[in-house]
């Protein structure tokens, strides 16, 4: 992919800055500016922005490239860097002082509960009344919070994606779920929603969806076993970390069998040799803990 194409893809992430009359991006951040003529900034600032745009994309802050072919292999935009630094969106938890420091944990206590039999949708409030205030602050911030850009899915060489703590809303785009080489995905501590996403990469080692608003039952075939499905999701075998805690997932944990996870290639149960961290806490699961664990 040409350098100009890569820049066009990355700049879709900061599209709100295109017509801004000020440069939201701090001076110590490389790249992430539109070329001159793409915004309302003028004078010396315009020259600075043009110089930043001309920086090779592999030198842009938060971007990692393959040293051989120059393809983008990593986007490290987590810990609020995308929303706070690149887009200039303030962090509500910092603005709210001591009360805001607990916003993430309070919001995690307001989970969505779905009753599929009678199609009811209702809120379940757990914990102190401060969770309601956290939800009100979240609602007020919705108008300025960013969404998950589907353009990231065009970076087919991407192996590492960190968008944690960026106030992201909506769902994970299908184009991102189809990334064939993705190894690490961290979208924790956002406002993402939807059912459990189906990843197509068989190289995934880290999946962190914690502290969002995902909901619903886990598909019976997610972990897989001959009794409940034909295979284990391929990405589970190289998995090192799997964290879906602090969401609204419900139903039972879809595991059957006694010793491990079914491998369709060897046609037998195997343990997840690489797994080091597995967290399903703070959801609405019921039933028992399967023997596989």
């Amino acid at each position: 992919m040409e350098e100009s194409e890569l820049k066009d893809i990355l700049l879709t992430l900061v599209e709100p800055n295109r017509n801004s009359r000020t440069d939201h991006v701090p001076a110590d951040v490389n790249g992430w500016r539109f070329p001159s003529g793409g915004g309302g900034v003028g004078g010396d600032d315009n020259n600075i922005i043009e110089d930043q745009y001309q920086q090779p994309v592999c030198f842009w802050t938060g971007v990692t490239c393959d040293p051989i072919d120059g393809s983008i292999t990593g986007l490290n935009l987590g810990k609020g860097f995308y929303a706070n630094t690149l887009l200039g969106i303030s962090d509500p938890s910092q603005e709210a002082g001591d009360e805001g420091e607990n916003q993430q944990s309070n919001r995690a206590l307001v989970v969505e509960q779905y009753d599929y039999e009678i199609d009811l949708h209702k809120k379940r409030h757990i914990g102190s009344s401060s969770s309601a205030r956290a939800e009100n602050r979240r609602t007020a911030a919705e108008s300025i919070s960013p969404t998950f850009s589907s353009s990231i899915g065009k970076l087919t060489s991407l192996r590492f994606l960190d968008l944690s703590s960026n106030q992201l809303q909506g769902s994970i785009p299908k184009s991102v779920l189809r990334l064939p080489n993705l190894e690490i995905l961290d979208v924790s501590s956002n406002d993402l929603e939807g059912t459990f996403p189906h990843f197509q990469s068989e190289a995934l080692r880290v999946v962190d969806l914690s502290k969002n608003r995902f909901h619903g039952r886990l598909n019976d075939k997610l972990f897989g076993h001959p009794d409940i499905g034909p295979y284990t999701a391929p990405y589970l075998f190289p998995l090192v970390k799997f964290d879906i805690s602090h969401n609204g997932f419900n139903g039972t944990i879809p595991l059957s069998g006694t010793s491990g996870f079914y491998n369709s290639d060897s046609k037998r149960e195997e343990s997840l040799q690489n797994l080091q961290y597995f967290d399903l806490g703070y959801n609405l699961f019921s039933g028992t803990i399967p023997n596989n664990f």
Side-chain angles (χ1 to χ4, degrees):
M1 191 177 294
E2 297 292 331
E3 176 85 3
S4 59
E5 293 180 87
L6 293 175
K7 288 184 178 180
D8 287 344
I9 292 173
L10 293 183
L11 288 176
T12 61
L13 276 65
V14 292
E15 184 65 29
N17 295 346
R18 180 184 290 274
N19 296 314
S20 174
R21 302 198 63 84
T22 59
D23 184 10
H24 290 298
V25 183
D28 59 348
V29 173
N30 290 331
W32 299 103
R33 276 84 163 181
F34 289 91
S36 58
V41 182
D44 293 338
D45 286 342
N46 200 10
N47 294 331
I48 295 173
I49 289 175
E50 179 66 22
D51 290 343
Q52 288 287 359
Y53 173 76
Q54 295 299 334
Q55 289 271 352
V57 70
C58 295
F59 292 165
W60 287 19
T61 304
V63 177
T64 301
C65 294
D66 186 289
I68 298 176
D69 61 19
S71 61
I72 295 179
T73 57
L75 288 179
N76 187 6
L77 310 179
K79 306 298 187 290
F81 177 78
Y82 173 49
N84 303 341
T85 303
L86 295 185
L87 296 180
I89 299 175
S90 59
D91 186 345
S93 65
Q94 293 180 0
E95 287 185 345
D98 293 338
E99 182 182 4
E101 289 178 2
N102 295 320
Q103 180 184 8
Q104 288 288 356
S105 59
N106 287 333
R107 187 180 64 203
L109 298 178
V110 184
V111 294
E112 306 228 354
Q113 184 174 17
Y114 290 79
D115 189 326
Y116 290 94
E117 294 183 359
I118 57 177
D119 197 29
L120 287 179
H121 175 251
K122 60 184 178 179
K123 292 287 186 183
R124 177 184 176 186
H125 294 268
I126 310 173
S128 68
S129 61
S130 60
S131 60
R133 294 194 295 272
E135 180 71 5
N136 290 337
R137 286 196 301 273
R138 183 195 63 77
T139 303
E142 283 184 348
S143 60
I144 61 173
S145 294
T147 56
F148 204 133
S149 175
S150 61
S151 297
I152 295 176
K154 297 178 181 178
L155 303 173
T156 54
S157 297
L158 201 64
R159 299 200 300 264
F160 173 86
L161 178 59
D162 184 357
L163 283 169
S164 60
S165 303
N166 277 300
Q167 308 171 53
L168 293 178
Q169 296 188 358
S171 59
I172 300 177
K174 291 182 179 179
S175 61
V176 173
L177 299 178
R178 289 194 293 264
L179 285 170
N181 302 302
L182 195 61
E183 297 179 18
I184 298 175
L185 176 68
D186 186 351
V187 293
S188 60
S189 301
N190 283 294
D191 275 318
L192 296 170
E193 54 190 347
T195 55
F196 187 87
H198 176 65
F199 301 98
Q200 294 191 12
S201 172
E202 296 186 13
L204 274 173
R205 294 186 295 113
V206 173
V207 176
D208 193 343
L209 309 180
S210 62
K211 298 178 182 177
N212 279 283
R213 294 195 292 151
F214 292 104
H215 61 265
R217 296 175 179 269
L218 297 182
N219 190 295
D220 283 347
K221 298 178 182 180
L222 174 62
F223 299 110
H225 186 271
D227 292 343
I228 57 175
Y231 62 93
T232 293
Y235 62 81
L236 283 177
F237 285 105
L239 204 63
V240 175
K241 177 180 179 179
F242 184 83
D243 189 351
I244 61 171
S245 63
H246 294 87
N247 280 286
F249 293 113
N250 59 18
T252 58
I253 300 173
L255 281 171
S256 181
T258 58
S259 61
F261 300 81
Y262 187 67
N263 187 330
S264 60
D265 293 330
S266 63
K267 294 182 170 47
R268 61 192 178 109
E269 289 184 339
E270 297 180 3
S271 61
L272 302 185
Q273 298 289 343
N274 300 312
L275 191 63
Q276 299 179 20
Y277 189 97
F278 192 85
D279 193 347
L280 308 181
Y282 291 92
N283 280 286
L284 300 173
F285 292 119
S286 57
T288 59
I289 298 176
N291 290 335
N292 303 64
F293 291 115

PDB file of all heavy atoms in Angstrom, residues 6 57-58 63-74 157-159:
ATOM      1  N   LEU A   6      -1.881   5.023   3.130  1.00  0.00           N
ATOM      2  CA  LEU A   6      -1.813   4.783   4.574  1.00  0.00           C
ATOM      3  C   LEU A   6      -2.174   6.038   5.349  1.00  0.00           C
ATOM      4  O   LEU A   6      -2.907   5.985   6.347  1.00  0.00           O
ATOM      5  CB  LEU A   6      -0.412   4.307   4.954  1.00  0.00           C
ATOM      6  CG  LEU A   6       0.007   2.932   4.429  1.00  0.00           C
ATOM      7  CD1 LEU A   6       1.467   2.656   4.785  1.00  0.00           C
ATOM      8  CD2 LEU A   6      -0.895   1.835   4.986  1.00  0.00           C
ATOM      9  N   VAL A  57       4.719   7.936   7.606  1.00  0.00           N
ATOM     10  CA  VAL A  57       3.675   7.428   8.488  1.00  0.00           C
ATOM     11  C   VAL A  57       4.248   6.522   9.581  1.00  0.00           C
ATOM     12  O   VAL A  57       3.698   6.444  10.692  1.00  0.00           O
ATOM     13  CB  VAL A  57       2.600   6.699   7.661  1.00  0.00           C
ATOM     14  CG1 VAL A  57       3.147   5.395   7.094  1.00  0.00           C
ATOM     15  CG2 VAL A  57       1.353   6.445   8.478  1.00  0.00           C
ATOM     16  N   CYS A  58       5.369   5.870   9.294  1.00  0.00           N
ATOM     17  CA  CYS A  58       5.975   4.989  10.293  1.00  0.00           C
ATOM     18  C   CYS A  58       6.612   5.762  11.437  1.00  0.00           C
ATOM     19  O   CYS A  58       6.989   5.162  12.454  1.00  0.00           O
ATOM     20  CB  CYS A  58       7.015   4.088   9.637  1.00  0.00           C
ATOM     21  SG  CYS A  58       6.305   2.925   8.438  1.00  0.00           S
ATOM     22  N   VAL A  63       2.247   4.661  15.917  1.00  0.00           N
ATOM     23  CA  VAL A  63       2.212   3.780  14.753  1.00  0.00           C
ATOM     24  C   VAL A  63       3.474   2.917  14.726  1.00  0.00           C
ATOM     25  O   VAL A  63       4.587   3.425  14.871  1.00  0.00           O
ATOM     26  CB  VAL A  63       2.104   4.588  13.445  1.00  0.00           C
ATOM     27  CG1 VAL A  63       2.141   3.656  12.235  1.00  0.00           C
ATOM     28  CG2 VAL A  63       0.820   5.416  13.436  1.00  0.00           C
ATOM     29  N   THR A  64       3.309   1.625  14.529  1.00  0.00           N
ATOM     30  CA  THR A  64       4.425   0.701  14.384  1.00  0.00           C
ATOM     31  C   THR A  64       4.359   0.075  12.992  1.00  0.00           C
ATOM     32  O   THR A  64       3.283  -0.318  12.539  1.00  0.00           O
ATOM     33  CB  THR A  64       4.379  -0.409  15.442  1.00  0.00           C
ATOM     34  OG1 THR A  64       4.416   0.177  16.741  1.00  0.00           O
ATOM     35  CG2 THR A  64       5.547  -1.361  15.294  1.00  0.00           C
ATOM     36  N   CYS A  65       5.517  -0.005  12.326  1.00  0.00           N
ATOM     37  CA  CYS A  65       5.563  -0.542  10.967  1.00  0.00           C
ATOM     38  C   CYS A  65       6.512  -1.723  10.865  1.00  0.00           C
ATOM     39  O   CYS A  65       7.440  -1.870  11.663  1.00  0.00           O
ATOM     40  CB  CYS A  65       6.012   0.543   9.980  1.00  0.00           C
ATOM     41  SG  CYS A  65       4.840   1.910   9.785  1.00  0.00           S
ATOM     42  N   ASP A  66       6.272  -2.531   9.871  1.00  0.00           N
ATOM     43  CA  ASP A  66       7.188  -3.617   9.550  1.00  0.00           C
ATOM     44  C   ASP A  66       8.465  -3.007   8.976  1.00  0.00           C
ATOM     45  O   ASP A  66       8.409  -2.210   8.034  1.00  0.00           O
ATOM     46  CB  ASP A  66       6.536  -4.555   8.526  1.00  0.00           C
ATOM     47  CG  ASP A  66       7.379  -5.784   8.259  1.00  0.00           C
ATOM     48  OD1 ASP A  66       8.439  -5.637   7.610  1.00  0.00           O
ATOM     49  OD2 ASP A  66       6.978  -6.879   8.667  1.00  0.00           O
ATOM     50  N   PRO A  67       9.631  -3.349   9.505  1.00  0.00           N
ATOM     51  CA  PRO A  67      10.877  -2.728   9.049  1.00  0.00           C
ATOM     52  C   PRO A  67      11.256  -3.095   7.624  1.00  0.00           C
ATOM     53  O   PRO A  67      12.096  -2.429   7.015  1.00  0.00           O
ATOM     54  CB  PRO A  67      11.911  -3.240  10.047  1.00  0.00           C
ATOM     55  CG  PRO A  67      11.344  -4.512  10.560  1.00  0.00           C
ATOM     56  CD  PRO A  67       9.865  -4.321  10.584  1.00  0.00           C
ATOM     57  N   ILE A  68      10.644  -4.137   7.078  1.00  0.00           N
ATOM     58  CA  ILE A  68      11.010  -4.589   5.735  1.00  0.00           C
ATOM     59  C   ILE A  68      10.118  -3.965   4.660  1.00  0.00           C
ATOM     60  O   ILE A  68      10.603  -3.323   3.722  1.00  0.00           O
ATOM     61  CB  ILE A  68      10.959  -6.125   5.642  1.00  0.00           C
ATOM     62  CG1 ILE A  68      11.985  -6.728   6.606  1.00  0.00           C
ATOM     63  CG2 ILE A  68      11.217  -6.601   4.210  1.00  0.00           C
ATOM     64  CD1 ILE A  68      11.958  -8.241   6.659  1.00  0.00           C
ATOM     65  N   ASP A  69       8.804  -4.119   4.804  1.00  0.00           N
ATOM     66  CA  ASP A  69       7.924  -3.624   3.745  1.00  0.00           C
ATOM     67  C   ASP A  69       7.204  -2.332   4.098  1.00  0.00           C
ATOM     68  O   ASP A  69       6.494  -1.767   3.270  1.00  0.00           O
ATOM     69  CB  ASP A  69       6.900  -4.694   3.347  1.00  0.00           C
ATOM     70  CG  ASP A  69       5.993  -5.113   4.499  1.00  0.00           C
ATOM     71  OD1 ASP A  69       5.886  -4.375   5.496  1.00  0.00           O
ATOM     72  OD2 ASP A  69       5.378  -6.191   4.397  1.00  0.00           O
ATOM     73  N   GLY A  70       7.375  -1.832   5.336  1.00  0.00           N
ATOM     74  CA  GLY A  70       6.772  -0.553   5.710  1.00  0.00           C
ATOM     75  C   GLY A  70       5.284  -0.604   5.994  1.00  0.00           C
ATOM     76  O   GLY A  70       4.657   0.442   6.207  1.00  0.00           O
ATOM     77  N   SER A  71       4.685  -1.786   6.012  1.00  0.00           N
ATOM     78  CA  SER A  71       3.254  -1.894   6.312  1.00  0.00           C
ATOM     79  C   SER A  71       3.002  -1.609   7.789  1.00  0.00           C
ATOM     80  O   SER A  71       3.870  -1.841   8.638  1.00  0.00           O
ATOM     81  CB  SER A  71       2.740  -3.291   5.957  1.00  0.00           C
ATOM     82  OG  SER A  71       3.420  -4.275   6.712  1.00  0.00           O
ATOM     83  N   ILE A  72       1.823  -1.102   8.097  1.00  0.00           N
ATOM     84  CA  ILE A  72       1.477  -0.778   9.481  1.00  0.00           C
ATOM     85  C   ILE A  72       1.077  -2.057  10.214  1.00  0.00           C
ATOM     86  O   ILE A  72       0.139  -2.745   9.823  1.00  0.00           O
ATOM     87  CB  ILE A  72       0.332   0.252   9.537  1.00  0.00           C
ATOM     88  CG1 ILE A  72       0.801   1.578   8.934  1.00  0.00           C
ATOM     89  CG2 ILE A  72      -0.126   0.464  10.981  1.00  0.00           C
ATOM     90  CD1 ILE A  72      -0.266   2.655   8.910  1.00  0.00           C
ATOM     91  N   THR A  73       1.797  -2.368  11.279  1.00  0.00           N
ATOM     92  CA  THR A  73       1.539  -3.592  12.042  1.00  0.00           C
ATOM     93  C   THR A  73       0.961  -3.311  13.432  1.00  0.00           C
ATOM     94  O   THR A  73       0.465  -4.233  14.076  1.00  0.00           O
ATOM     95  CB  THR A  73       2.824  -4.415  12.205  1.00  0.00           C
ATOM     96  OG1 THR A  73       3.825  -3.606  12.850  1.00  0.00           O
ATOM     97  CG2 THR A  73       3.350  -4.865  10.848  1.00  0.00           C
ATOM     98  N   GLY A  74       1.044  -2.065  13.887  1.00  0.00           N
ATOM     99  CA  GLY A  74       0.541  -1.762  15.220  1.00  0.00           C
ATOM    100  C   GLY A  74       0.014  -0.347  15.342  1.00  0.00           C
ATOM    101  O   GLY A  74       0.577   0.590  14.760  1.00  0.00           O
ATOM    102  N   SER A 157      -2.336  -5.674   7.459  1.00  0.00           N
ATOM    103  CA  SER A 157      -1.132  -6.214   8.106  1.00  0.00           C
ATOM    104  C   SER A 157      -1.133  -5.971   9.610  1.00  0.00           C
ATOM    105  O   SER A 157      -0.182  -6.362  10.303  1.00  0.00           O
ATOM    106  CB  SER A 157       0.127  -5.589   7.493  1.00  0.00           C
ATOM    107  OG  SER A 157       0.247  -5.907   6.122  1.00  0.00           O
ATOM    108  N   LEU A 158      -2.184  -5.354  10.131  1.00  0.00           N
ATOM    109  CA  LEU A 158      -2.227  -4.973  11.539  1.00  0.00           C
ATOM    110  C   LEU A 158      -2.205  -6.193  12.442  1.00  0.00           C
ATOM    111  O   LEU A 158      -2.972  -7.131  12.276  1.00  0.00           O
ATOM    112  CB  LEU A 158      -3.496  -4.149  11.804  1.00  0.00           C
ATOM    113  CG  LEU A 158      -3.496  -3.246  13.041  1.00  0.00           C
ATOM    114  CD1 LEU A 158      -2.441  -2.155  12.889  1.00  0.00           C
ATOM    115  CD2 LEU A 158      -4.876  -2.629  13.249  1.00  0.00           C
ATOM    116  N   ARG A 159      -1.283  -6.169  13.410  1.00  0.00           N
ATOM    117  CA  ARG A 159      -1.179  -7.254  14.382  1.00  0.00           C
ATOM    118  C   ARG A 159      -1.488  -6.805  15.800  1.00  0.00           C
ATOM    119  O   ARG A 159      -1.829  -7.625  16.657  1.00  0.00           O
ATOM    120  CB  ARG A 159       0.234  -7.861  14.338  1.00  0.00           C
ATOM    121  CG  ARG A 159       0.616  -8.459  13.002  1.00  0.00           C
ATOM    122  CD  ARG A 159       1.767  -9.447  13.102  1.00  0.00           C
ATOM    123  NE  ARG A 159       2.972  -8.833  13.633  1.00  0.00           N
ATOM    124  CZ  ARG A 159       3.965  -8.361  12.887  1.00  0.00           C
ATOM    125  NH1 ARG A 159       3.868  -8.398  11.566  1.00  0.00           N
ATOM    126  NH2 ARG A 159       5.038  -7.844  13.434  1.00  0.00           N
TER     127      ARG A 159
END
